[in-house]
């Protein structure tokens, strides 16, 4: 088969979306609703944390970073899907594809590391309460976050450059957006070394983060079971509940997609898993944390509602003054 010409003007064609008009309308409305919910929920959580002094803690510092990541994580993917749903031309330039792949990989990796850091924060709070402020100082929080970004950004550049050095048999990508696994499938090159490199990179980001999280929770559960009162155990465990749900959902989908042989993988399953962690998870994260948190719900109920009432009162007063 003649190799696909990979010049700077080359374009890839994304085939992930259905060509059925009715399914396209349903898909467009579904993606639009998820994207708007993601933006609203994450921006709301960032605002709530910023206006409530009680929430100025390391855990919420990481949580606002997670919301910031989720906003852009979804933004790298969903707007292009929405555009391709409406357009007949579903092509994407090589440069645009590379940028989308790079930022998607970077933000996904940062979220992996950040979830592990948040587990360590819960370990320090529950297992080392007397030293918590020293362990999770403001400087340490910033360093851990910065390290997550630097490692993820560097790893992403290497993977993207390596991916587009491969030869491709054709420009048709059976996916919703530019991601490494579907490009391996259309490659005419020997992909063994690339797959090994991807497994190692993903192993560092996802598997290592997962195991660090697991170790943290083993220590956390060990400490919780030593608490004599049932109320004390429940209170300690409830501070970790939301994080456990998010970790299970995110790490599970990442490992299914990246840590299994791609020569025998299902395109349908790959696309479903990609959509789950790229569009659904960023939407659910702030909701999960908000629903289970009294301080967040209280701030939304009182502070924001109070500000809206005050704004309406001032507008009415201004109108009467005229």
């Amino acid at each position: 088969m003649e190799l696909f010409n990979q010049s700077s003007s080359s374009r890839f064609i994304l085939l992930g979306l259905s060509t059925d008009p009715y399914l396209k309308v349903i898909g467009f409305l579904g993606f639009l609703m998820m994207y708007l919910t993601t933006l609203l929920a994450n921006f709301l959580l960032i605002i709530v944390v910023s206006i409530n002094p009680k929430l100025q803690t390391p855990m919420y510092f990481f949580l606002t970073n997670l919301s910031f990541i989720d906003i852009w994580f979804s933004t790298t993917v969903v707007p292009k899907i929405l555009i391709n749903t409406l357009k007949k031309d579903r092509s994407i330039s090589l440069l645009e594809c590379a940028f989308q792949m790079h930022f998607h990989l970077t933000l996904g990796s940062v979220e992996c590391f950040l979830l592990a850091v948040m587990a360590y924060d819960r370990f320090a709070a529950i297992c080392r309460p007397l030293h918590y402020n020293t362990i999770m100082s403001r400087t340490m929080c910033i360093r851990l976050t910065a390290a997550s970004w630097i490692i993820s950004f560097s790893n992403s550049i290497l993977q993207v450059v390596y991916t587009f050095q491969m030869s491709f048999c054709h420009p048709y990508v059976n996916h919703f957006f530019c991601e490494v696994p579907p490009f391996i499938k259309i490659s005419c090159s020997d992909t063994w070394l690339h797959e090994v490199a991807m497994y190692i990179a993903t192993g560092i980001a996802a598997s290592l983060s997962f195991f660090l999280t697991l170790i943290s929770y083993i220590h956390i559960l060990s400490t919780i079971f030593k608490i004599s009162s049932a109320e004390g155990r429940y209170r300690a465990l409830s501070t970790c509940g939301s994080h456990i749900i998010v970790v299970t959902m995110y790490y599970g989908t990442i490992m299914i997609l990246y840590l299994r042989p791609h020569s025998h993988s299902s395109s349908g399953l790959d696309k479903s898993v990609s959509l789950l962690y790229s569009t659904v998870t960023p939407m659910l994260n702030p909701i999960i944390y908000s629903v289970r948190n009294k301080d967040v719900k209280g701030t939304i109920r009182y502070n924001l509602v109070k500000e809206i009432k005050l704004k309406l009162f001032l507008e009415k007063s201004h109108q009467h003054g005229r």
Side-chain angles (χ1 to χ4, degrees):
M1 185 181 292
E2 188 177 343
L3 296 182
F4 168 54
N5 180 27
Q6 298 176 73
S7 66
S8 58
S9 61
S10 296
R11 299 184 71 83
F12 295 96
I13 301 169
L14 300 171
L15 302 176
L17 296 168
S18 173
T19 55
D20 186 288
Y22 297 104
L23 290 178
K24 286 174 74 173
V25 171
I26 293 170
F28 179 84
L29 293 175
F31 283 118
L32 181 62
M33 288 302 297
M34 284 192 292
Y35 184 56
L36 292 177
T37 304
T38 299
L39 296 180
L40 178 62
N42 282 289
F43 273 124
L44 185 60
L45 188 57
I46 292 171
I47 292 169
V48 166
V49 172
S50 65
I51 66 177
N52 191 341
K54 290 183 179 179
L55 302 181
Q56 304 303 311
T57 63
M59 184 63 178
Y60 287 100
F61 171 79
F62 295 127
L63 194 54
T64 52
N65 274 274
L66 187 65
S67 289
F68 174 81
I69 291 165
D70 282 338
I71 289 168
W72 289 106
F73 194 40
S74 185
T75 300
T76 59
V77 172
V78 180
K80 186 63 178 177
I81 293 176
L82 293 173
I83 292 169
N84 284 347
T85 306
L86 298 176
K87 289 172 60 180
K88 288 185 178 180
D89 179 15
R90 289 180 288 177
S91 66
I92 183 172
S93 70
L94 189 149
L95 186 61
E96 187 183 356
C97 189
F99 270 103
Q100 186 184 61
M101 186 184 292
H102 168 61
F103 286 109
H104 185 264
L105 273 172
T106 299
L107 294 163
S109 298
V110 174
E111 185 152 340
C112 278
F113 289 123
L114 205 58
L115 289 172
V117 169
M118 290 168 74
Y120 178 69
D121 173 82
R122 292 299 83 204
F123 160 77
I126 295 171
C127 303
R128 303 287 188 272
L130 298 178
H131 303 284
Y132 177 71
N133 291 331
T134 304
I135 296 171
M136 300 305 296
S137 64
R138 183 75 176 177
T139 304
M140 178 57 71
C141 292
I142 293 171
R143 284 177 180 174
L144 289 170
T145 305
S148 299
W149 277 97
I150 292 168
I151 294 170
S152 300
F153 191 86
S154 304
N155 170 61
S156 177
I157 287 178
L158 293 175
Q159 284 206 59
V160 171
V161 170
Y162 196 20
T163 296
F164 288 103
Q165 283 182 342
M166 295 190 298
S167 298
F168 300 108
C169 300
H170 55 78
Y172 302 102
V173 183
N174 188 17
H175 206 52
F176 297 98
F177 57 92
C178 295
E179 198 172 17
V180 175
F183 276 83
I184 289 177
K185 289 184 178 181
I186 66 169
S187 174
C188 290
S189 308
D190 182 2
T191 62
W192 180 84
L193 188 60
H194 190 284
E195 289 194 50
V196 170
M198 186 180 68
Y199 291 146
I200 293 172
T202 307
I204 293 171
S207 300
L208 181 60
S209 299
F210 174 77
F211 285 121
L212 289 173
T213 302
L214 187 64
I215 291 168
S216 295
Y217 274 108
I218 288 171
H219 287 286
I220 288 169
L221 291 174
S222 176
T223 302
I224 288 174
F225 288 138
K226 292 176 184 177
I227 300 173
S228 55
S229 68
E231 185 182 350
R233 287 196 296 270
Y234 174 77
R235 198 183 310 161
L237 192 58
S238 64
T239 63
C240 306
S242 301
H243 186 255
I244 291 172
I245 295 170
V246 171
V247 162
T248 304
M249 193 165 52
Y250 190 72
Y251 286 158
T253 52
I254 290 287
M255 289 179 180
I256 288 172
L257 182 62
Y258 281 92
L259 296 181
R260 65 193 178 96
H262 290 278
S263 56
H264 306 290
S265 61
S266 166
S267 296
L269 178 62
D270 286 353
K271 289 189 288 185
S272 299
V273 171
S274 293
L275 284 180
L276 185 61
Y277 84 86
S278 299
T279 61
V280 179
T281 303
M283 176 185 68
L284 293 179
N285 283 352
I287 297 172
I288 291 169
Y289 279 105
S290 301
V291 167
R292 298 181 57 89
N293 191 288
K294 292 180 181 179
D295 290 325
V296 172
K297 289 188 291 185
T299 304
I300 294 172
R301 189 179 298 116
Y302 297 111
N303 295 63
L304 294 181
V305 172
K306 192 184 295 182
E307 286 186 14
I308 292 170
K309 287 181 178 178
L310 179 61
K311 187 176 180 180
L312 292 173
F313 174 76
L314 291 173
E315 286 179 358
K316 287 181 179 179
S317 300
H318 184 66
Q319 288 174 359
H320 287 306
R322 288 182 177 178

